[in-house]
Amino acid sequence: MKLYYLKYAKLIILNTLIIVFLLSLTILLNSSGDFAPAPVITYSTQNPEEKHPSEAGYKWSGQKDDPKYIVIPKIKVDTFVQNVGIDQNQQIAVPNNINIAGWFVDSVRPGEAGLSIIDGHVNGVSVNDGVFKRLNELVPGDTAQVITGEGAVVSFIVRSNQEIKTEDSATVLYSQDPNIKSQLNLITCTGNFNSSTRQYDKRQITVLEQQ
């Protein structure tokens, strides 16, 4: 009889552990909501999509603290941000849509202490207006906001904006102002376009500080 109760008790304990495990798994899955690891763009195409994200069927994916949108009122930027890494040329990859900005995943998330980098196209192959077409118009005091996957708004203010030769741009792009705790650098192409290499000879780099 004692052996029977012992087996019964073990069975109850085992069932309880299974139930606890299933409940924990359910809570974990529910807590993740609609967030999923975002794919990282690691190939810079010379023929990016030119349709508006809604027309191209773009669906954002990322974690709750990943940048999801960038808004720059003065130059009418209000668009998605996708994750980009290092491309086939050992440079920061550009978004696969000219209307979408790209957050460099090896930089900090916007709003964190350190340097964050977001890039974007100046134009496309047949469309002249890329997401950062008017980046050169920003001046100190202009504002921008980055909205995360969970809806948190991180506000920035422009500190400087400069046009730099392409060969010198990396030094500026990866440099953080020691007086800025949370810095966001925006970058796009500018200058003269070489139709043979399909490259611009300069880069526009805008430095912003979290407000």
Side-chain angles (χ1 to χ4, degrees):
M1 184 64 71
K2 290 183 178 180
L3 182 59
Y4 170 80
Y5 282 117
L6 180 59
K7 289 183 178 180
Y8 186 72
K10 289 182 177 179
L11 182 60
I12 292 176
I13 292 173
L14 178 60
N15 287 337
T16 301
L17 290 174
I18 292 174
I19 292 172
V20 170
F21 171 77
L22 291 175
L23 286 174
S24 299
L25 182 61
T26 300
I27 292 173
L28 178 61
L29 291 174
N30 287 337
S31 65
S32 64
D34 296 327
F35 300 109
V40 179
I41 303 300
T42 57
Y43 182 83
S44 294
T45 176
Q46 292 188 335
N47 295 286
E49 176 63 63
E50 297 183 349
K51 294 180 180 178
H52 188 275
S54 60
E55 297 175 346
Y58 180 78
K59 293 182 179 179
W60 184 86
S61 61
Q63 299 299 310
K64 63 180 182 180
D65 50 355
D66 284 347
K68 184 176 183 179
Y69 299 105
I70 182 169
V71 179
I72 311 176
K74 181 177 180 179
I75 58 175
K76 301 186 185 308
V77 169
D78 186 349
T79 191
F80 286 106
V81 178
Q82 62 182 188
N83 291 358
V84 299
I86 296 297
D87 69 4
Q88 71 274 19
N89 302 312
Q90 299 305 303
Q91 299 176 350
I92 297 178
V94 292
N96 55 18
N97 185 311
I98 68 168
N99 302 293
I100 296 175
W103 167 59
F104 181 41
V105 295
D106 289 337
S107 66
V108 305
R109 289 179 172 85
E112 294 181 353
L115 174 64
S116 182
I117 297 173
I118 292 180
D119 65 355
H121 291 275
V122 66
N123 55 23
V125 176
S126 60
V127 177
N128 193 40
D129 293 338
V131 63
F132 283 166
K133 175 70 175 181
R134 299 174 57 194
L135 195 64
N136 64 322
E137 297 178 23
L138 296 179
V139 297
D142 288 334
T143 60
Q145 294 81 39
V146 174
I147 297 90
T148 68
E150 64 178 351
V153 179
V154 187
S155 298
F156 292 89
I157 187 168
V158 174
R159 291 306 184 199
S160 65
N161 197 7
Q162 56 184 322
E163 188 178 280
I164 303 165
K165 291 181 179 179
T166 297
E167 58 268 28
D168 300 327
S169 62
T171 300
V172 177
L173 180 64
Y174 291 108
S175 297
Q176 182 179 1
D177 187 323
N179 297 313
I180 299 179
K181 180 180 179 181
S182 178
Q183 180 172 327
L184 171 61
N185 285 356
L186 307 180
I187 182 170
T188 195
C189 298
T190 192
N192 297 315
F193 181 72
N194 186 319
S195 57
S196 298
T197 62
R198 299 189 67 179
Q199 298 290 329
Y200 283 88
D201 65 350
K202 294 181 181 179
R203 297 291 183 267
Q204 191 75 37
I205 299 178
T206 307
V207 175
L208 302 95
E209 179 180 7
Q210 184 183 1
Q211 291 183 291

